[in-house]
């Protein structure tokens, strides 16, 4: 993929078959898939090759709802590669139940089922730096990994095993994939323009077809990009913001005939619900730790945790929730020093730290290379963390603020809501974990007071930079923004890629599902758009 700066290209370079707005995992996956099929793709990225000093002004929000971890910042990054610049690489698969219409979860149900994404799973895994796209959750993990399941299984009536897979960058074995570092590997029929901030979608007089987008670069110069098809991939906050701000022709914003754009804002609420003393946690970390699994793409790390069983969710009217053990390395952990040294980023005291416990290093090397399990660290603590699904709420939403960013775009006003159903779910999940640890003979976690059954204290949970739901997928345009193919209702050539199309978000990190949906969207567009060198071909119907 050719990377250029908007400031250095002529107007003839601003016409293409497919224009993708946003260069995060969703946008670059769509671009890579279409370019591989010979289609002309232009990706527009508001940021540059690195995060600039003006990023806070461009990524500011006006938060008026529940407290957020970063109350004045959009989740994501204004830089080539988008949110992958700072993500942690943890991936999982939504449960079948997450797609279903659950009577106890208002506004639940997708217009597609889990099976619609399975054909895209392996390609999605390859884009994400993963070894496997399916077959690694619940009890499926054990045969996939060539291991025997533990004899002391979880009680399936309450909790079930759940596994997350950690992304691995082919160029840096100690890091997860950073999409921005790999854009030049994409086919040359795709180009990306950096420092290109899209400020308006321009439609025809009916609002049913996008003709072009306005792009503002350095110095405030406004340019126009024309395409047959447009894909918004700006994330759960920036995407509805742009739709709402594109209101010159369509009053109220594009795709917003039924006042659905920006509604149903969800995130994952996550935090510490219990702790274990490092000296007591050995058996628990062995039982619910990390595993290394070989695949055709290399060695990949999996984290073993647990999630609420579907039966329990139905029986007690709970939303989905997962729990896992999180090691907190000490400041003098030898393995952190090894990692910094091998990546060429050592501190002056790292050699001394490594020499202080060569036994731990030798044991870790054996465990990793021979046993295929996690490396032991010198720990400051062990946390039990929970991540809970959010209940869809039409009043949890993104609107436009009266404040503006440096190019005059209204800032997003974020009114994020949380619910009692989520709190009840987390307390019940914590109670079940404590009971299962006792039954399995594992050490008793010290539960934080707010997570105890019956507590009314605020739970120590915060958003997890996973905004979703704000352009939700629906069969009926009165209840959402995009159809089952991610096309904006009522607009024939505008599509959305990213977590903003999720009707519900389950308990799991969204990136793998985002990429699978992006692969599926690319297949839809590839079937409708012939590979051609002429971007001015007739419009897509």
């Amino acid at each position: 993929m050719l990377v250029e700066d908007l400031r250095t290209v002529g107007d003839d370079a601003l016409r293409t078959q497919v224009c993708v707005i946003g260069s995060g995992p969703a946008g670059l996956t769509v671009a890579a898939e279409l370019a591989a099929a010979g289609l002309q793709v232009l990706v527009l990225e508001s940021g540059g090759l690195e995060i600039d000093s003006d990023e806070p002004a461009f990524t500011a929000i006006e938060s008026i709802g529940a407290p957020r971890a970063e109350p004045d910042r959009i989740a994501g990054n204004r830089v080539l590669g988008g949110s992958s610049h700072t993500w942690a690489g943890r991936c999982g698969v939504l449960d079948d139940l997450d797609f279903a219409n659950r009577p106890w979860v208002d506004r639940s149900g997708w217009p597609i089922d889990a099976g619609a994404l399975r054909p895209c799973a392996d390609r999605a895994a390859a884009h994400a730096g993963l070894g496997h796209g399916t077959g690694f959750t619940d009890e499926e993990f054990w045969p996939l990994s060539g291991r025997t399941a533990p004899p002391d299984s979880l009680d399936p009536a309450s909790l079930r095993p759940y596994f997350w897979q950690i992304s691995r960058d082919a160029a840096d074995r100690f890091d997860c994939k950073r999409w921005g570092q790999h854009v030049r590997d994409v086919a040359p029929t795709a180009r990306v323009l950096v420092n290109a901030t899209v400020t308006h979608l321009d439609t025809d007089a009916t609002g049913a077809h996008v003709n072009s987008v306005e792009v503002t670069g350095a110095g405030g110069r406004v340019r126009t990009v024309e395409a047959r098809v447009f894909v918004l991939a700006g994330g759960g906050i920036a995407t509805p913001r742009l739709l709402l701000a594109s209101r010159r022709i369509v009053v109220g914003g594009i795709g917003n005939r039924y006042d659905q754009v920006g509604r149903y804002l969800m995130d994952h609420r996550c935090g510490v619900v219990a702790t274990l003393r490092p000296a007591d946690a050995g058996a628990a970390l062995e039982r619910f730790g990390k595993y290394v699994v070989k695949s055709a793409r290399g060695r990949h790390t999996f984290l073993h945790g647990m999630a609420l069983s579907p039966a329990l969710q139905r029986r007690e009217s709970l939303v989905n929730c997962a729990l896992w053990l999180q090691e907190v390395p000490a400041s003098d952990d030898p393995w952190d020093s090894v990692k910094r040294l091998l990546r060429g980023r050592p501190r002056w005291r790292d050699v001394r730290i490594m020499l202080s416990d060569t036994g731990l290093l030798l044991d870790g090397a054996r465990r990793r290379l021979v046993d295929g399990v996690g490396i032991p660290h010198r720990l400051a603590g062990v946390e039990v963390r929970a991540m809970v699904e959010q209940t869809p709420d039409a009043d949890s939403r993104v609107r436009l603020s009266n404040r503006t960013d440096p190019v005059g775009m209204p800032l997003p006003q974020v009114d994020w809501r949380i619910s009692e159903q989520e709190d009840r779910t987390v307390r019940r999940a914590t109670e079940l974990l404590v009971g299962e640890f006792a039954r399995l003979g594992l050490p008793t976690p010290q539960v934080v007071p707010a997570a105890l059954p019956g507590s009314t204290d605020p739970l120590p949970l915060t958003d997890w930079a996973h905004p979703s739901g704000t352009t939700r997928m629906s069969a009926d345009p009165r209840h959402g923004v995009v159809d089952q193919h991610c096309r904006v209702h009522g607009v024939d050539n505008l599509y959305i890629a990213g977590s903003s199309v999720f009707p519900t978000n389950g308990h799991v990190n969204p990136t793998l599902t985002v990429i699978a949906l992006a692969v599926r969207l690319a297949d839809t567009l590839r079937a409708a758009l012939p590979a051609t060198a002429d971007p001015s071909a007739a419009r897509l119907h």
Side-chain angles (χ1 to χ4, degrees):
M1 181 183 294
L2 179 64
V3 180
E4 300 176 288
D5 194 302
L6 177 66
R7 295 169 290 191
T8 63
V9 300
D11 290 344
D12 59 341
L14 303 182
R15 301 178 69 196
T16 186
Q17 281 183 290
V18 182
C19 176
V20 178
I21 300 166
S23 73
L28 288 181
T29 296
V30 172
E33 288 280 330
L34 294 179
L39 293 165
Q40 287 192 334
V41 186
L42 178 62
V43 180
L44 302 176
E45 168 54 50
S46 177
L49 301 179
E50 302 290 342
I51 292 181
D52 294 328
S53 59
D54 62 356
E55 189 204 29
F58 277 96
T59 60
I61 67 171
E62 181 181 303
S63 179
I64 64 171
R68 300 174 60 82
E70 295 189 56
D72 302 317
R73 296 289 301 280
I74 290 177
N77 299 110
R78 184 175 174 264
V79 67
L80 183 63
S83 60
S84 73
H85 191 75
T86 53
W87 80 312
R90 198 164 92 167
C91 293
V93 178
L94 285 173
D95 300 324
D96 289 358
L97 185 65
D98 293 325
F99 292 86
N101 181 8
R102 292 168 279 168
W104 65 94
V105 180
D106 189 38
R107 295 294 187 184
S108 60
W110 293 49
I112 61 174
D113 60 21
L117 297 183
R118 289 192 183 109
C120 308
D122 194 58
R123 285 153 63 197
H127 282 289
L130 303 175
H132 301 273
T134 59
F136 62 87
T137 59
D138 297 350
E139 299 295 346
E140 295 177 303
F141 173 79
W142 303 111
L144 177 77
S145 66
R147 291 175 167 84
T148 302
D152 50 350
S153 60
L154 292 166
D155 178 3
S158 57
L159 292 173
R160 58 191 177 87
Y162 191 88
F163 294 85
W164 296 266
Q165 188 176 173
I166 310 301
S167 166
R168 181 170 178 256
D169 196 299
D172 184 350
R173 63 185 182 277
F174 296 109
D175 202 2
C176 52
K177 181 174 178 179
R178 310 292 176 191
W179 267 256
Q181 298 175 12
H182 297 276
V183 294
R184 291 173 177 83
D185 301 333
V186 178
T189 54
R191 296 179 297 129
V192 59
L193 290 180
V194 296
N195 298 308
T197 302
V198 177
T199 51
H200 201 272
L201 308 178
D202 298 326
T203 69
D204 61 13
T206 69
H209 184 82
V210 178
N211 294 323
S212 60
V213 298
E214 287 189 359
V215 185
T216 303
R221 182 187 177 192
V222 178
R223 313 282 294 278
T224 298
V225 174
E226 297 177 357
R228 290 185 64 195
V229 172
F230 295 86
V231 178
L232 301 186
I237 294 177
T239 290
R241 173 200 189 192
L242 180 57
L243 290 171
L244 292 171
S246 298
R247 51 191 174 180
R248 293 178 197 152
I249 301 296
V250 183
V251 177
I254 294 174
N256 201 31
R257 177 182 179 185
Y258 295 102
D259 188 28
Q260 294 295 293
V261 173
R263 290 189 181 272
Y264 300 101
L265 171 65
M266 299 173 291
D267 206 304
H268 285 122
R269 297 174 62 201
C270 185
V272 179
V273 294
T275 59
L276 290 164
R277 293 195 321 124
D280 301 332
L285 290 172
E286 287 289 336
R287 181 66 176 79
F288 297 103
K290 294 179 179 178
Y291 297 88
V292 178
V293 179
K294 294 180 181 179
S295 77
R297 301 189 186 107
R299 296 163 62 89
H300 294 269
T301 300
F302 290 76
L303 171 64
H304 184 191
M306 62 206 81
L308 292 181
S309 74
L312 183 84
Q313 293 177 56
R314 293 188 183 95
R315 189 167 63 248
E316 300 189 14
S317 297
L318 303 176
V319 290
N320 217 338
C321 183
L323 306 111
W324 68 95
L325 300 182
Q326 184 74 38
E327 296 175 300
V328 182
S331 60
D332 59 348
D333 173 40
W335 278 107
D336 273 356
S337 294
V338 169
K339 185 183 295 186
R340 283 189 293 270
L341 185 65
L342 293 177
R343 297 180 73 184
R345 305 172 189 172
R347 303 178 306 188
W348 66 267
R349 64 191 186 108
D350 280 329
V351 173
R352 177 175 56 81
I353 291 174
M354 289 187 291
L355 292 175
S356 70
D357 199 339
T358 55
L360 183 69
L361 296 179
L362 290 171
D363 182 45
R366 176 190 58 78
R367 287 168 57 88
R368 178 80 175 187
L369 299 174
V370 178
D371 300 336
V373 296
I375 292 172
H377 291 270
R378 184 178 293 163
L379 299 176
V382 177
E383 300 170 341
V384 180
R385 290 191 181 181
M387 187 152 72
V388 65
E389 173 185 14
Q390 281 214 273
T391 308
D393 180 352
D395 292 327
S396 182
R397 64 188 300 187
V398 176
R399 298 184 182 90
L400 297 180
S401 169
N402 292 325
R403 297 163 51 197
T404 59
D405 70 8
V407 294
M409 277 279 287
L411 294 181
Q413 184 188 78
V414 177
D415 187 359
W416 180 50
R417 307 286 180 97
I418 60 179
S419 80
E420 182 277 333
Q421 188 177 32
E422 298 153 19
D423 290 351
R424 180 163 52 87
T425 295
V426 170
R427 292 189 175 103
R428 180 64 170 134
T430 304
E431 179 184 25
L432 290 169
L433 177 140
V434 172
E436 282 295 272
F437 271 38
R439 186 180 68 83
L440 297 173
L442 298 175
T444 302
Q446 181 66 43
V447 178
V448 301
L452 291 169
S455 175
T456 58
D457 293 338
L459 281 165
L461 307 176
T462 185
D463 65 291
W464 212 240
H466 297 164
S468 58
T470 48
T471 61
R472 72 193 326 246
M473 187 187 296
S474 67
D476 187 333
R478 293 172 298 179
H479 300 144
V481 178
V482 302
D483 65 16
Q484 64 179 344
H485 302 295
C486 294
R487 182 177 64 85
V488 174
H489 287 299
V491 186
D492 68 358
N493 67 334
L494 181 61
Y495 295 78
I496 296 177
S499 58
S500 66
V501 306
F502 288 18
T504 55
N505 65 346
H507 71 70
V508 71
N509 309 60
T511 304
L512 185 55
T513 305
V514 163
I515 298 170
L517 283 166
V519 169
R520 182 172 178 267
L521 172 56
D523 286 347
T524 298
L525 298 178
R526 185 166 45 233
L529 280 168
T532 176
D534 180 13
S536 62
R539 72 166 59 176
L540 175 68
H541 291 286

